[in-house]
Amino acid sequence: VYHTAIHITGSAYETDIRNCRLERFTTYGIRVEANGVVIDNNDLAPSGAAMTAGIEITANHVAVRDNWLEAALNEGGTWVLINGGHSASIRGNNFSANYVAGGYMIRIIAGVRDTRIVDNYISTGRGTGLSIEGAGTFEVAVVGNTFDTDMADSIRAIDVNGRTEVTITGNTFVLNTVPTAEVIKIRNGAGFVSIVGNTFRRPGTQGGVGMTLSAAFRTEILGNTFDNLSNDIELAGDASQSWNYTIIGNDFYGTATPVANDVGSGRIVRHNRGYVTENSGTATVPNGATTVVVNHGLSAAPTRVQTTATQWGNASKVKWRTPTATQFTIEVDADPGPSGATFDWRAWVGEG
């Protein structure tokens, strides 16, 4: 039994580790403190579940590719821990661990930059698939991976915690079981996060939450597909702390609540299939009245209503008020008389 199977120090730069089976280590499988190391096509199997990290990276230009990483992990254990350096590439690996709650498949600590996580299969097991933590973690790209929440007590697939710059694109999230938390969480001041062109799919009975924004800013959610989830996008906690987010061009299928608690400032929410944020029509204030109630047909209460008079009658001023999830009211300053007062209206949700 070994504390650490392989330890590559600063002088051993550009080392290759290929086609090995590393087993019976208790704390670290491979520790990388030298630049330019390639870890390729290995099979790692720790002794028991209490390891700190299967692979720990604290150097620059390290590539971890086509490895098989499968074992039980205890709370806090991590398969790939990126704890320093820059320009790491994690590509084509199979992460398939059956661990107790609290473990991580990939964990990126504050201050790391220019990391690529591409084309991996990541079973979240009973913990978190990918954790990106702390301020100063920039230029992280998560592309073309498959995340499988395959256990009833999975936590989440991706957790972005603190101010970072992250792109999450072209990934597939399969909810074979419903996680205890959302599939993706963006929280604690995380900003400049782009979530583009991903697929979230729940086979069988409807369930699960696609993503949650909690005190997040400048988040783009563009062109994703959500299929058979309970809630697709949620603004959690004090939702007003999430601001300048954009939700455009997504497809919401078979979902009870496409966008929940949509109240942040500076938001643009539009052109999403299954979540109506723009509508228009015609309404008439009748003779003997000064108001008319309009059924707007939006998926949420409107934040803006524009009215254009086509017939004033005896009225000369108009305003809209009392927006709800289903209706708003048009009010004029005087009884319009026999002709009524007719308006074209346009209502929308969000600031754009």
Side-chain angles (χ1 to χ4, degrees):
V1 177
Y2 303 96
H3 176 276
T4 301
I6 298 175
H7 188 185
I8 305 173
T9 60
S11 59
Y13 58 89
E14 298 183 0
T15 298
D16 288 2
I17 303 172
R18 302 178 188 269
N19 303 321
C20 298
R21 176 172 174 80
L22 305 178
E23 58 184 11
R24 302 180 66 194
F25 56 89
T26 59
T27 307
Y28 296 97
I30 302 172
R31 301 190 72 182
V32 180
E33 298 175 353
N35 297 333
V37 172
V38 176
I39 302 171
D40 182 16
N41 198 32
N42 301 284
D43 186 356
L44 275 68
S47 176
M51 73 174 186
T52 300
I55 300 170
E56 183 191 42
I57 299 169
T58 58
N60 305 326
H61 301 286
V62 176
V64 179
R65 62 195 187 205
D66 298 325
N67 299 281
W68 188 273
L69 309 168
E70 181 174 10
L73 299 178
N74 277 340
E75 183 173 358
T78 304
W79 261 120
V80 175
L81 175 62
I82 306 175
N83 199 17
H86 62 80
S87 304
S89 174
I90 314 299
R91 181 184 294 268
N93 302 281
N94 187 309
F95 295 86
S96 184
N98 180 7
Y99 46 65
V100 300
Y104 305 89
M105 288 300 187
I106 304 172
R107 190 177 184 188
I108 302 174
I109 306 299
V112 173
R113 60 183 175 87
D114 193 21
T115 303
R116 301 291 180 263
I117 300 170
V118 180
D119 294 337
N120 301 280
Y121 171 79
I122 301 174
S123 164
T124 60
R126 293 188 170 94
T128 299
L130 167 62
S131 179
I132 304 170
E133 304 171 17
T137 301
F138 300 119
E139 300 177 19
V140 178
V142 184
V143 181
N145 304 280
T146 296
F147 291 84
D148 189 348
T149 61
D150 56 354
M151 295 185 181
D153 51 356
S154 294
I155 298 177
R156 59 181 58 94
I158 299 177
D159 185 3
V160 182
N161 183 3
R163 183 157 183 172
T164 58
E165 293 180 6
V166 181
T167 299
I168 302 169
T169 185
N171 302 280
T172 298
F173 300 90
V174 182
L175 284 71
N176 281 313
T177 61
V178 176
T180 58
E182 55 286 303
V183 177
I184 297 176
K185 187 159 191 174
I186 313 297
R187 60 187 174 120
N188 290 344
F192 303 100
V193 178
S194 296
I195 305 172
V196 181
N198 303 281
T199 298
F200 300 77
R201 178 167 55 87
R202 164 65 177 155
T205 305
Q206 184 186 77
V209 177
M211 67 183 72
T212 298
L213 276 61
S214 179
F217 68 98
R218 294 185 180 175
T219 302
E220 297 180 326
I221 305 171
L222 310 176
N224 301 281
T225 298
F226 300 84
D227 188 359
N228 202 35
L229 279 64
S230 294
N231 290 6
D232 293 331
I233 301 170
E234 289 185 347
L235 279 84
D238 183 356
S240 63
Q241 294 180 8
S242 293
W243 50 276
N244 282 11
Y245 58 86
T246 301
I247 304 174
I248 296 178
N250 301 280
D251 288 338
F252 302 116
Y253 296 109
T255 298
T257 307
V259 181
N261 205 16
D262 178 17
V263 297
S265 63
R267 68 200 190 277
I268 299 175
V269 183
R270 60 170 62 150
H271 305 317
N272 298 286
R273 185 177 300 171
Y275 186 70
V276 180
T277 52
E278 299 178 56
N279 208 354
S280 61
T282 300
T284 299
V285 180
N287 183 23
T290 57
T291 63
V292 61
V293 175
V294 178
N295 295 316
H296 52 65
L298 301 173
S299 295
T303 53
R304 298 285 186 273
V305 176
Q306 181 181 66
T307 58
T308 303
T310 58
Q311 171 64 49
W312 279 106
N314 296 326
S316 61
K317 295 179 181 179
V318 64
K319 64 181 179 181
W320 70 280
R321 60 177 174 83
T322 323
T324 71
T326 57
Q327 298 175 326
F328 65 88
T329 298
I330 293 176
E331 181 177 358
V332 294
D333 62 337
D335 179 349
S339 66
T342 301
F343 300 90
D344 291 336
W345 59 267
R346 174 178 172 264
W348 63 97
V349 178
E351 305 300 319

